């Protein structure tokens, strides 16, 4: 039984190759084991779309009763990548379809998840389409901030600053008491966001 690699097997046959490299799994595999391997195989595809990835995350979490952190550890990816992917599935179906079609980037769509209602999410995208210009991530972030209103004055909590050798200062603030493990996680997620902005050529404001 081919658990994963069906397309490679068919390609080998079409190419007329007599052999193919493979790994044998000894013993009986449960339906959950097979599904897990197939989902992981699917996640390794380079052409995997953000919504497809998010659905695979969700299925793996359900199959194994995993938390987002446990899934991230199993796949050796950041927890922020998992949480951001799962967040996309909370968007209305029509916006998910735009993400799948590539008309709305996954990063911009994630920003929309910060809004409390689907009506507000659609309204932000509608404003971008009215101008006839492509809605950038920076545009969405700005509109989301406007919709959410100005943040309230910071309460007593945590404020830490980290200065690099080049003089850049990174500040971490929280309205509640936090520990260094939570600060580390926040910085990891911030680093993931920075990398996403670099990949999408987002200009500094």
């Amino acid at each position: 039984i081919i658990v994963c690699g069906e397309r490679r097997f068919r390609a080998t046959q079409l190419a007329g190759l007599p052999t193919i490299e493979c790994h044998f799994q000894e013993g009986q595999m449960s339906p959950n084991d097979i599904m897990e391997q197939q989902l992981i195989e699917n996640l390794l595809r380079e052409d995997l779309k953000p919504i497809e990835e998010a659905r695979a995350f969700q299925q793996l979490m359900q199959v194994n009763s995993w938390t987002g952190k446990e899934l991230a550890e199993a796949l050796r990816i950041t927890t922020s990548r998992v949480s951001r992917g799962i967040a996309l599935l909370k968007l209305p179906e029509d916006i998910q379809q735009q993400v799948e079609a590539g008309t709305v980037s996954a990063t911009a769509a994630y920003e929309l998840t910060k809004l409390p209602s689907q009506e507000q999410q659609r309204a932000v995208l509608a404003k971008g389409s009215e101008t006839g210009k492509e809605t950038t991530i920076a545009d969405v972030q700005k509109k989301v901030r406007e919709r959410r209103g100005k943040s309230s004055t910071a309460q007593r909590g945590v404020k830490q600053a980290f200065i690099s050798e080049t003089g850049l200062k990174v500040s971490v603030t929280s309205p509640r008491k936090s520990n260094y493990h939570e600060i580390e996680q926040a910085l990891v997620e911030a680093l993931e966001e920075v990398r996403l902005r670099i990949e999408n050529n987002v200009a500094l404001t």
Side-chain angles (χ1 to χ4, degrees):
I1 298 172
I2 299 177
V3 175
C4 54
E6 177 72 28
R7 285 176 298 176
R8 286 194 296 274
F9 174 66
R10 292 182 182 182
T12 300
Q13 289 182 310
L14 289 172
L17 300 177
T19 60
I20 182 173
E21 291 186 9
C22 62
H23 170 74
F24 286 94
Q25 176 68 43
E26 300 293 341
Q28 187 70 25
M29 293 181 72
S30 69
N32 279 2
D33 290 335
I34 293 174
M35 183 181 290
E36 179 183 338
Q37 291 300 318
Q38 290 173 337
L39 288 169
I40 291 173
E41 171 78 6
N42 196 38
L43 283 169
L44 296 175
R45 283 171 42 204
E46 292 183 1
D47 61 343
L48 192 65
K49 295 179 180 179
I51 296 296
E52 289 179 318
E53 180 179 79
R55 287 174 183 152
F57 286 162
Q58 188 178 64
Q59 287 179 289
L60 273 172
M61 290 169 67
Q62 291 172 346
V63 165
N64 295 292
S65 299
W66 280 342
T67 63
K69 183 178 179 181
E70 289 171 332
L71 174 62
E73 289 174 352
L75 298 179
R76 294 195 172 122
I77 58 177
T78 62
T79 53
S80 63
R81 178 173 169 183
V82 174
S83 60
R84 290 163 73 91
I86 295 298
L88 295 180
L89 299 180
K90 297 177 182 178
L91 291 168
E93 188 64 32
D94 54 314
I95 296 181
Q96 288 188 38
Q97 289 174 359
Q98 292 181 65
V99 176
E100 283 192 309
T103 55
V104 175
S105 72
T107 309
Y110 172 71
E111 292 298 321
L112 292 175
T113 66
K114 298 176 183 178
L115 292 171
S117 71
Q118 295 183 356
E119 290 72 21
Q120 290 186 23
Q121 293 165 355
R122 291 189 179 100
V124 167
L125 285 183
K127 279 188 178 179
S129 60
E130 286 171 5
T131 62
K133 297 179 181 178
E134 182 181 349
T135 304
T136 66
I137 297 169
D139 290 336
V140 172
Q141 289 173 331
K142 180 181 177 182
K143 290 169 187 172
V144 167
R145 284 195 297 268
E146 290 171 353
R147 288 266 174 179
R148 296 176 75 184
K150 294 182 179 179
S151 58
S152 57
T153 305
Q155 302 172 355
R156 293 167 107 191
V158 172
K159 187 173 183 181
Q160 293 283 322
F162 305 90
I163 302 175
S164 71
E165 293 181 359
T166 59
L168 283 173
K169 183 164 108 175
V170 177
S171 298
V172 177
T173 58
S174 172
R176 62 177 178 80
K177 289 185 178 180
S178 304
N179 55 42
Y180 276 112
H181 293 295
E182 292 174 310
I183 291 174
E184 179 188 26
Q185 181 58 39
L187 289 171
V188 168
E189 292 178 7
L191 179 58
E192 183 74 13
E193 176 65 27
V194 169
R195 287 170 175 163
L196 282 169
R197 294 187 187 189
I198 292 172
E199 290 174 5
N200 289 280
N201 299 315
V202 178
L204 284 171
T205 55

